[in-house]
Amino acid sequence: MPNRRQAWRRIALAGATPLLGGGLYLLVQGPGAQAKATPAVPDDVCIVAPTLAWDGVGQRLAPRAIPAEARCPVCGMFPARQPRWAVQVLYADGQAHFLDSPLSLFHYLQHVARYAPGRQRADIAAVHVTEHDSGRWLPAEQALYIYGSGLRGPMRSGNLPAVAAGNASSFTDRHSGQAMSFASLARELPAALQQLTPHRH
């Protein structure tokens, strides 16, 4: 009965395979080794990613590079093309608006709901302005703004170049104008600058 014999051979070989494997394991590992079950998944593989208790707010609120395609929500200009005037407004969730100048910033702050629908001024977590001379970012609240200088802003009329507090005197000596604080301008712009409110989109 060849079929029955072949079946018994298969059964015998199947039973011998684990024994042969165990014998080879002992030959390789040595006589004192004990066979152990190989885990289905290696110990160093993580099936579910751990929850990270990382607070990225500090990085989300740091100054960032202005995307070339970003447009000022107040006037529609491209802030990346105004490196000495550019401003960024950052929200706590990391979203940002980029503006072409401090003048646009103060118009923005007076009408946040208009330029950022669904937002309000209390949602703003950080504002950075470009120091006009150095091109470096400054916290907007720490900068001074020169009203009435001889410099023309991006819109070619009106201006409020931002300067570090320690540089305000030398700046006004070179370009004339009057240094004003962030707080005073955020409350109310001078009448001449109020009239420069960009068109409503």
Side-chain angles (χ1 to χ4, degrees), residues 16-42:
T17 300
L19 294 174
L20 287 171
L24 288 172
Y25 179 88
L26 290 174
L27 282 173
V28 172
Q29 299 295 327
Q34 294 183 354
K36 63 178 180 180
T38 302
V41 179

Side-chain angles (χ1 to χ4, degrees), residues 4-22:
R4 187 173 293 178
R5 283 182 191 153
Q6 289 175 0
W8 279 110
R9 279 184 196 145
R10 288 193 194 104
I11 292 170
L13 284 171
T17 300
L19 294 174
L20 287 171

Side-chain angles (χ1 to χ4, degrees), residues 135-181:
R136 68 188 176 99
W137 291 108
L138 295 174
E141 296 87 350
Q142 296 178 19
L144 291 176
Y145 303 86
I146 310 303
Y147 171 56
S149 79
L151 297 175
R152 291 287 185 178
M155 299 296 289
R156 299 291 183 266
S157 59
N159 66 89
L160 283 172
V163 298
N167 298 334
S169 294
S170 63
F171 191 93
T172 55
D173 287 345
R174 286 179 284 126
H175 302 290
S176 73
Q178 169 191 356
M180 302 185 73
S181 70

Side-chain angles (χ1 to χ4, degrees), residues 11-92:
I11 292 170
L13 284 171
T17 300
L19 294 174
L20 287 171
L24 288 172
Y25 179 88
L26 290 174
L27 282 173
V28 172
Q29 299 295 327
Q34 294 183 354
K36 63 178 180 180
T38 302
V41 179
D43 292 338
D44 60 348
V45 173
C46 181
I47 301 300
V48 179
T51 301
L52 300 178
W54 175 70
D55 179 6
V57 171
Q59 291 191 18
R60 287 202 306 271
L61 301 184
R64 60 191 70 173
I66 300 177
E69 68 279 7
R71 300 189 74 153
C72 175
V74 176
C75 69
M77 294 184 72
F78 293 91
R81 299 177 187 176
Q82 308 296 335
R84 297 290 180 175
W85 298 86
V87 176
Q88 49 188 285
V89 175
L90 307 179
Y91 290 90

